[in-house]
């Protein structure tokens, strides 16, 4: 099929920063894009060929949008899967598939999938209601501490909480959830796997993630991860086994724990470009965003090796600031060697909102990490 400078239409559900960065590649290849998002301020709006305002959870909105395009992908999991299923039945290609998305959308279903496929993951219990957790604690079926996760609609640290005592449950939503055993881990790692329709598969190098203690958001992504080769090989192998189980088409970001005794456990996955791959824009031969486009269009997959060590720093709204965004000291960080800011185009900041990221590249990953710390201390995302 001819995708380039043709009448082929690629649809993207979700108009956020991930979609915007995908559009870097579609514009490079001159592929016509249609994007739907619920916000008129969506970052994608300036970069796609056609923009549709619509609710991603609304069956009719997703279905009608999908009928206008030849192939549909998404940059966010919270979309109406029933509409995707219907579109697939009617011949619209949807990648990753509705089946993959349906399994991943619900954290409980996702964990059961790992268990059924022999994929290593932490032990967990599924609860239809939060009140059942209290019963399980009372009768000794569940012990503190554990990790509570909402079964659906969690993102960016929302929908996840460490529960150390009964009162920690008070503020949490009442619906379906899981309680996961707390894993004593050395590192949080991630591997992005790309797979096209022909079944060609490639993995990116293992990255290491450092998290913000309060916001439960990634602060730094470090590539390559500072781990033994043996552990890195094991991490890539586990990620490949997850990809194999899903038979997905597109990107699958696999978040992993490296335990104290160097076992690898799957935490969760995302069937799309992911925060743990942003450094690939500057540091890799093929960015994760271009790779996603290549994979869903069944084009040859690009080279996944890094050209250079890369670190990504998330730019999130500073606490205490809400309103029109100002990037304080951005010129200062741009004076540093190998530093590139990516600003997502969200005009309004609020505490911990993802507003952009900064990539730091350097032959020496430890030097890159030192510069990343400078970047983090220098730039501030505040409001007027």
């Amino acid at each position: 099929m001819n995708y380039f400078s043709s009448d082929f239409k690629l649809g993207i559900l979700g108009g956020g920063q991930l979609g915007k960065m995908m559009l870097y590649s579609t514009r490079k290849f001159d592929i016509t894009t249609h994007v739907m998002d619920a916000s008129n301020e969506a970052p994608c709006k300036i970069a796609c060929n056609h923009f549709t305002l619509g609710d991603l959870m609304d069956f009719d909105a997703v279905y009608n949008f999908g009928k206008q395009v030849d192939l549909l992908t998404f940059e966010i999991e919270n979309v109406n899967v029933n509409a995707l299923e219907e579109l697939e039945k009617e011949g619209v290609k949807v990648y990753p598939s509705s089946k993959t998305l349906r399994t991943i959308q619900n954290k409980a279903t996702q964990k059961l999938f790992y268990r059924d496929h022999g994929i290593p993951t932490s032990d967990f219990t599924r609860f239809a209601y939060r009140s059942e957790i209290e019963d399980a604690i009372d009768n000794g079926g569940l012990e503190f501490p554990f990790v509570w996760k909402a079964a659906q609609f969690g993102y960016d640290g929302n929908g996840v909480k460490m529960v150390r005592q009964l009162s920690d449950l008070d503020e949490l939503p009442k619906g379906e959830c899981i309680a996961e055993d707390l894993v004593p881990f050395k590192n949080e790692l991630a591997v992005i796997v790309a797979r096209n329709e022909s079944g060609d598969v490639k993995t990116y190098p293992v990255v290491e993630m450092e998290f913000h203690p309060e916001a439960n958001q990634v602060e730094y992504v470090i590539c390559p991860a500072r781990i033994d080769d043996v552990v890195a090989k094991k991490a890539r192998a586990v990620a490949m086994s997850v990809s194999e189980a899903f038979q997905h088409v597109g990107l699958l970001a696999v978040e992993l724990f490296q335990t104290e005794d160097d076992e690898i456990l799957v935490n969760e996955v995302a069937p799309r470009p992911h925060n743990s791959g942003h450094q690939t824009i500057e540091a890799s031969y093929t960015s994760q965003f271009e790779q996603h486009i290549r994979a869903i269009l069944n084009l040859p997959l690009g080279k996944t090796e890094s050209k250079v060590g890369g670190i990504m720093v998330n730019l999130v709204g500073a606490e205490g600031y809400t309103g029109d965004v100002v990037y304080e000291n951005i010129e200062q960080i741009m004076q540093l060697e190998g530093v590139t800011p990516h600003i997502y185009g969200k005009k309004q900041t609020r505490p911990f909102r993802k507003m952009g990221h900064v990539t730091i590249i350097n032959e020496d990953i430890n030097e890159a990490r030192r510069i990343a710390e400078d970047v983090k201390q220098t730039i501030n995302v505040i409001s007027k």
Side-chain angles (χ1 to χ4, degrees), residues 84-99:
L84 298 184
E85 272 182 353
E86 190 56 42
L87 288 162
E88 284 170 332
K89 279 183 202 152
E90 295 180 20
V92 177
K93 287 189 169 184
V94 179
Y95 292 133
S97 69
S98 62
K99 186 177 173 216

Side-chain angles (χ1 to χ4, degrees), residues 17 78 89 135 160 180 206 268-269 279 290 336 384:
Q17 64 265 18
N78 296 341
K89 279 183 202 152
D135 300 340
V160 180
E180 285 185 340
V206 185
E268 51 191 55
V269 300
Q279 75 292 338
E290 179 180 326
L336 301 170
K384 284 178 186 169

